[in-house]
Amino acid sequence: MSFTLFGHGDPDRVRTGVVSANYFDLFGIQPLIGRTLLPDDEKLGAPAVLLLSYEYWKTIWLRP
């Protein structure tokens, strides 16, 4: 899948994947900043949640 991110300069097309709320817990992974997915994120009508890789965040969101 791909997704277009808006709000930080030009729109940016990114590759994405869909996982369940317990995906990161299963592997014992915690984010450096922010949070992982919650069960409420899977509910019908819940706002979309996106977790960024460190590489993406570092190169795109930290650019001047």
Side-chain angles (χ1 to χ4, degrees), residues 5-21:
L5 293 179
F6 298 94
H8 189 78
D10 293 331
D12 196 19
R13 192 81 155 157
V14 294
R15 290 181 23 198
T16 64
V18 177
V19 297
S20 63

Side-chain angles (χ1 to χ4, degrees):
M1 287 176 66
S2 62
F3 194 86
T4 303
L5 293 179
F6 298 94
H8 189 78
D10 293 331
D12 196 19
R13 192 81 155 157
V14 294
R15 290 181 23 198
T16 64
V18 177
V19 297
S20 63
N22 68 343
Y23 179 82
F24 295 98
D25 294 335
L26 180 68
F27 294 104
I29 298 170
Q30 290 296 313
L32 295 174
I33 299 171
R35 66 172 178 89
T36 58
L37 303 172
L38 302 173
D40 283 349
D41 295 329
E42 295 182 329
K43 290 184 178 177
L44 185 62
V49 177
L50 180 67
L51 279 77
L52 303 175
S53 72
Y54 177 72
E55 282 300 314
Y56 180 82
W57 179 78
K58 186 174 69 174
T59 59
I60 302 300
W61 292 83
L62 292 180
R63 73 174 106 149

